[in-house]
Amino acid sequence: MIFGVSKAKQRRLIEKMESLSIKEEDITEKFIRSSGSGGQKADKSSNCVYLKHLPTGIEVKCSRERKRTLNRYLARRLLAEKIEELRLGKESERRKRIEKKRRRKRRRSRRAKAKMLEEKRKQARKKELRSRIYPDE
């Protein structure tokens, strides 16, 4: 199978699919016309890739790029991530990324916020003392 990506990326995807025991025979692939802007070209070409993994019933659609070959690669990668998440649960890479983003966005506690503001005030005082003092003229 040839995708519009480098050989190394292609190899990694195949290895990941093999490690999760995903076979090409178990995948149903269809091509759909993409929706949204794009003009006449989008109306005529079927670049959106639809994959269904028959054993698990997981479905994936990908129309991120303009090239069908690249969308086929991205759809397979997404399918592999979803199956990995299904099998591994909280241990999967996708789950870890989502959790990391959630932690980053989480609001700080009052104590942590007060401590951070106190550090900022200290730094401001230091900078204030560095400024030159000009004598009155």
Side-chain angles (χ1 to χ4, degrees), residues 110-125:
R110 282 185 181 158
R111 190 174 175 193
K113 199 182 279 187
K115 190 177 178 183
M116 182 189 69
L117 289 173
E118 185 56 37
E119 280 297 316
K120 280 187 167 186
R121 282 190 205 103
K122 282 182 185 176
Q123 195 65 28
R125 275 188 238 126

Side-chain angles (χ1 to χ4, degrees), residues 29-86:
E29 184 176 42
K30 293 180 186 175
F31 301 105
I32 307 165
R33 289 210 175 109
S34 302
S35 60
S37 61
Q40 296 171 339
K41 180 65 177 166
D43 296 338
K44 288 185 237 174
S45 59
S46 303
N47 292 337
C48 181
V49 178
Y50 167 85
L51 297 179
K52 182 174 183 178
H53 187 243
L54 300 174
T56 58
I58 294 176
E59 298 175 345
V60 171
K61 273 186 186 176
C62 184
S63 59
R64 199 181 310 166
E65 300 295 328
R66 289 177 70 177
K67 295 179 181 175
R68 184 191 288 188
T69 53
L70 198 50
N71 282 331
R72 289 178 78 197
Y73 168 78
L74 293 171
R76 278 173 174 73
R77 192 172 71 182
L78 188 61
L79 181 71
E81 283 178 5
K82 284 192 173 190
I83 291 172
E84 181 182 39
E85 186 177 354
L86 179 74

Side-chain angles (χ1 to χ4, degrees), residues 1 3 17 22-29 72 76:
M1 185 147 309
F3 303 112
M17 287 176 70
I22 303 170
K23 300 174 189 149
E24 280 294 326
E25 303 88 57
D26 295 341
I27 298 174
T28 305
E29 184 176 42
R72 289 178 78 197
R76 278 173 174 73

